[in-house]
Amino acid sequence: MQSSLSGKTALVVGAGRGLGAAIADAIVDAGGIVYGTSRDPRTAAQIAERYGTVPLSVDIRVLDSIRSAIAQVFSQAGSIDLLVNNAGVNAPQAALDVDPDSWNLVHETNVRGVFFTSQLVAQQWVQRQIAGSIVTVASQAGLVAIEDRAAYGSSKAAVIHLTKQLAYEWAHYGIRVNAVAPTFVRTELTASTLADPQRAKRLLDGIPLGRFGSPNEVADCVVFLLGESASLITGHTLVIDGGYTIH
C-alpha cells in the first residue's frame, strides 16, 4: 500500500527539535520528502543532513529570508506540496508585566511569520496550479486562558482564526489550510516548566486524560491533516489536549 504522503515534498518551518523534528520524521515515515528550516545555521545544516536535502537557515520575521528558502526548495525539489508552520516563540509574562519588545517578538513570529510564509507558498501554488496543504501548529492557549500567556495565547488565537480565513479564501484553488492545537507536550522547550513538580501537577490536573502529550501524538495528527485522508477537511483546528479545553 502506498504511504499517505508518498512522493510529496514538505517544507517544515522550525524542524530542528521538539515538535518540529517529530513532525518532519513522521512526514518521512509517511513517504514524504522534508526540507526543514531553522534560524540557526548549524541546526539548519543538521536538518539537511538528517533528511538528505539542503540547509535552510530562515528567520520567518524577515520576508526575504522566507522568500529565498521557498525559491531554493522549488529549485531543488521542483515543487512544494505541503507546508507545516511550526516555528514559534513564547515569552511567558503576567499580563501586568508584558513589555512591548516581548509582545512584538511573539506576534511577529507566531502570527506575521505564519501568515507571510503561508502567503508566499500559496502564491507559488496558485501560479503553478498546485493543490497544496498547510498545517500550522497553534496551541490550546489560543482557545482558553492560561497563566502568563497574554502574548502567546493571543498570538495562537490569531493563528486559529487565520487558519479559517486562509482556508476560506484559498479553497477554490484546491488549497487546504488546517491547524493543530496541542496541550503541554514533553519536549526540550517545555522541560523546564514540567520539571517543577508543583507547576507540573497543577497543569496535569487540568488534563482530564491525566497525562501530558508526546511529540509523536501531535506529529501523527499533522500527517493526517496534510494527507488525502483529510481531503474534505479545511479551516479546522484539531485540538490535541487530553480534554484540557472541555471544561
Side-chain angles (χ1 to χ4, degrees), residues 50 115 122 147 172 204 226 241:
R50 182 180 180 90
F115 172 74
E147 64 180 9
H172 65 284
L204 202 58
L226 287 172
D241 69 345

Side-chain angles (χ1 to χ4, degrees), residues 18-34:
L19 283 181
I23 291 167
D25 285 348
I27 290 171
V28 170
D29 289 345
I33 302 160
V34 166

Side-chain angles (χ1 to χ4, degrees), residues 85 110-119 136 155-170 177-179 235 237:
N85 291 306
N110 296 0
V111 186
R112 183 180 184 273
V114 165
F115 172 74
F116 283 106
T117 301
S118 300
Q119 182 201 62
T136 298
S155 76
K156 293 302 186 177
V159 163
I160 289 168
H161 181 77
L162 188 59
T163 295
K164 297 177 182 179
Q165 185 70 35
L166 300 185
Y168 178 69
E169 292 199 27
W170 297 345
V177 187
N178 292 292
T237 296

Side-chain angles (χ1 to χ4, degrees), residues 215-237:
N216 289 340
E217 289 174 309
V218 178
D220 288 346
C221 291
V222 171
V223 167
F224 165 69
L225 288 173
L226 287 172
E228 288 303 309
S229 295
S231 60
L232 197 60
I233 301 174
T234 195
H236 180 70
T237 296

Side-chain angles (χ1 to χ4, degrees), residues 5 13 43 56 84 87 119 158 163 189 211 235 242-243 247:
L5 301 181
V13 182
T43 303
L56 298 171
V84 178
Q119 182 201 62
T163 295
L189 294 177
R211 64 179 179 84
H247 63 91

Side-chain angles (χ1 to χ4, degrees), residues 119-190:
Q119 182 201 62
L120 289 168
V121 170
Q123 286 172 345
Q124 292 297 316
W125 285 346
V126 171
Q127 291 174 17
R128 299 164 188 253
Q129 297 184 320
I130 296 171
S133 178
I134 299 172
V135 175
T136 298
V137 177
S139 168
Q140 66 182 15
L143 297 166
V144 294
I146 298 175
E147 64 180 9
D148 300 338
R149 297 294 192 275
Y152 182 77
S154 59
S155 76
K156 293 302 186 177
V159 163
I160 289 168
H161 181 77
L162 188 59
T163 295
K164 297 177 182 179
Q165 185 70 35
L166 300 185
Y168 178 69
E169 292 199 27
W170 297 345
H172 65 284
Y173 297 113
I175 297 170
R176 294 188 303 108
V177 187
N178 292 292
V180 293
T183 187
F184 293 93
V185 175
R186 291 191 180 278
T187 68
E188 300 97 316
L189 294 177
T190 61

Side-chain angles (χ1 to χ4, degrees), residues 13 29 32 36 38 62 75 95 104 111:
V13 182
D29 289 345
S38 172
V62 180
S75 174
N104 290 340
V111 186

